[in-house]
Every structure is written in structure tokens, then in C-alpha cells.
Amino acid sequence: MDHQSKLDNNVTARRAAWDLERENLQQRLILPEENAEEEKLEGSLPNLVGGVDLSFVPGDESGACAAYVICQAPNYQQIIWQRTRMITLTAPYIPGYLAFREAEPLAQLIQEQKTERPELTPEMLLVDGNGLLHPHRFGLACHLGVLVDLPCIGVAKNLFQMSDEGILRDQQYHTGVRDLREPGQVFPLMDTSGRILGLALKTTAQSSKPVFVSVGHRVTLNTAKRVVLAVSTYRVPEPIRHADMISREFIRQRVNAEKVFNALAKPPPDPSRLRAD
DNA sequence: GCGACAG
DNA sequence: ATCTTGTCGC
């Protein structure tokens, strides 16, 4: 048995276990009817919107920084609460199984906030990744939404192509996206059964590329679209953009501190040794 | 077999 | 996700 097939077996075994775990969580997923009272928001916008993201240590498979921010209306550029944490990831990134790598550490940050500052719990949580727009109809936004039981929206920066499902960058897709002119315009992403799994949404006039919005948990696609648009000053919604910047900066600081430490700990190279032989 | 592949 | 600076354009 060669090395490559051992790796393949590990991935296969992992997927089988994760599929069972996913099916259990999936039973707790709540998807409100699109027409049903338009939820609690009823055309209004949430006052507090949360955002989560991870940044990674360059050249390190498991080192990462998790960030969770809460932004406030009206423009959601103001952060009223934030936390970052260095974490060690246990699972590899396998396409379709992102949640099993990222959901747990993010859920911990959110649960801590709910305990320490329950009054700041956001009415909506934005996640970097997909929700229903997923081969198992249960992406990170669904997974995390169920874990913390918060209304949750998935916002991906790239389309997760699922050729078997009819979600692909074909001619129709390119045409539809090219025709997005104004912020708020969408191109529906439909699977082969005719179900709309998500939207390619143009968030700002400047951005040529849309973001890919899908329902996570306890939210309708209409509300998801409305909220994402409302919290977007730039292409990426503010809460996610801030979580991204904060976690990146944390990593950058940490890597720099390491360099300084190593420079002081190791003896500086002795130039005289270069021609000492 | 080939290409695709959220983060 | 990350490796990476400047550069073209509004």
C-alpha cells in the first residue's frame, strides 16, 4: 500500500465520519418559509451584526487566528465588541468539509460572548463561506448557525462550483453576472431540481465581482440579501471584512514578534567564519 | 482520465 | 487560506 492511497483512505474515512455528524446537526437546521412574516426583522435592519473569520500562519498547516466582531447600525463600520484568539486546527481543509475545520473554534468565541456580554448578542451572524449553497446543503454558515443557534448568513468570495448540481461557471452564469449593474442586483444560483441555493449579489458599484450569498440558519434568502447589502460598504460585508483584517493583523504581529525573538536568541552569524576554512 | 475544488 | 509590489485607472 503506497503513501498516496493511505492518504486517500484517511480522507475517505474522515468524510464518512463527518457525514454522520453532519446529518445529525442538519436535523436542527431551521429554514423559515420565504413568505412567513418576513421573520422578526420585517423589513427593518438588525442593529447588531456579527462577523467571523480565520487567518492563517504562513507555512503552517494548523496555526490560525480566529476573530469575532460585532458591528452596529447604521453603517456597521463601528465595532462595538471584538475578540481574537490563536488556535490550533485539528482537521485539514477538504472541499465540502470546511465546517469541520473552522466551525468549532468560531463557535467557542461566540459562546463566550453570549455568556460574558449577552446583551451584545447580534441579531445576525455573517460567516465567511457558504450556507445552503453547498453539496450537502449544509455549509459552514449552516453548521455554525446550528452550533450557536443564531440567525446566520453565508457569504463566500468565490463560487463553489458543483457541476453535478448545475452550479457552475457556464455561459449562462457569466452572462448573468456580467449583467449585474447596480448594487443589490442578483443572479440566482439554482440547482438541477430548480431550488435556488443562493445568490450572486453585487454589493457595491465599484465591485465587478459579486459575493455569493446563501442562507445559513433561521433566515430567509430575501432577508439574507437585504442584510448583506445593508452592511456592505465595500465588496465584502463590514463584519466579515473587519474580522478578516483583525485576524490578519494579529498573525502579522505574532510573526514579527517571533522574528525579533529569534534574532535575539540566536547568535548573529560570524562573518570571519566565512573564510575560516 | 481530466478538471474542479468555500477557506 | 498563503506566497507578493507595483501598477493601471478612476
Side-chain angles (χ1 to χ4, degrees):
Chain A
M1 190 101 356
D2 59 64
H3 187 58
Q4 186 56 49
S5 37
K6 277 180 187 171
L7 290 179
D8 290 346
N9 287 340
N10 287 336
V11 171
T12 303
R14 229 192 273 258
R15 272 202 276 245
W18 283 345
D19 284 341
L20 296 177
E21 192 175 338
R22 185 208 85 227
E23 282 164 20
N24 283 325
L25 290 171
Q26 207 160 12
Q27 295 177 353
R28 291 158 52 188
L29 183 66
I30 297 172
L31 302 178
E33 294 292 328
E34 197 64 56
N35 303 324
E37 63 163 331
E38 194 43 31
E39 299 129 280
K40 297 173 190 172
L41 294 172
E42 233 168 72
S44 70
L45 290 168
N47 180 41
L48 301 180
V49 179
V52 290
D53 193 28
L54 294 187
S55 289
F56 295 82
V57 178
D60 183 344
E61 180 68 9
S62 56
C65 175
Y68 172 36
V69 307
I70 301 172
C71 300
Q72 186 165 31
N75 41 32
Y76 306 95
Q77 294 181 34
Q78 186 191 358
I79 299 171
I80 64 158
W81 195 91
Q82 72 174 67
R83 180 162 294 177
T84 53
R85 173 165 308 145
M86 286 306 298
I87 54 171
T88 301
L89 300 164
T90 54
Y93 170 64
I94 299 173
Y97 297 83
L98 175 66
F100 291 93
R101 179 167 164 83
E102 299 194 352
E104 199 52 56
L106 295 175
Q108 276 186 30
L109 285 185
I110 295 164
Q111 297 293 16
E112 288 172 13
Q113 172 270 311
K114 290 212 292 184
T115 301
E116 296 171 22
R117 301 293 301 278
E119 75 280 9
L120 295 183
T121 300
E123 291 121 273
M124 193 65 73
L125 183 66
L126 267 48
V127 175
D128 198 351
N130 293 307
L132 217 54
L133 181 58
H134 181 272
H136 300 132
R137 309 295 182 266
F138 201 73
L140 175 59
C142 303
H143 194 121
L144 183 59
V146 166
L147 287 186
V148 300
D149 195 29
L150 281 180
C152 199
I153 301 170
V155 182
K157 297 183 289 296
N158 292 101
L159 179 65
F160 193 173
Q161 291 200 69
M162 297 167 269
S163 311
D164 301 343
E165 323 261 6
I167 306 290
L168 55 139
R169 293 191 272 259
D170 56 5
Q171 185 58 62
Q172 214 210 356
Y173 168 83
H174 287 297
T175 305
V177 164
R178 209 166 45 230
D179 288 346
L180 301 179
R181 297 276 172 247
E182 304 293 329
Q185 291 190 315
V186 298
F187 177 76
L189 303 163
M190 206 182 314
D191 70 8
T192 49
S193 76
R195 184 181 188 191
I196 295 177
L197 298 185
L199 305 169
L201 169 69
K202 186 180 177 72
T203 49
T204 68
Q206 297 77 15
S207 58
S208 59
K209 190 177 177 181
V211 295
F212 303 90
V213 177
S214 59
V215 159
H217 182 55
R218 288 170 46 189
V219 71
T220 66
L221 189 54
N222 279 334
T223 297
K225 179 214 152 187
R226 215 163 42 72
V227 170
V228 169
L229 193 59
V231 304
S232 296
T233 303
Y234 304 98
R235 178 182 172 242
V236 174
E238 288 299 288
I240 293 180
R241 201 174 67 86
H242 283 302
D244 178 76
M245 292 189 299
I246 288 169
S247 55
R248 283 174 121 82
E249 180 61 13
F250 196 97
I251 297 272
R252 203 183 64 79
Q253 299 281 347
R254 185 185 158 287
V255 169
N256 277 344
E258 229 169 55
K259 280 180 184 167
V260 171
F261 179 83
N262 287 336
L264 292 173
K266 290 178 186 172
D270 184 354
S272 65
R273 283 187 56 84
L274 287 176
R275 46 183 178 80
D277 55 2

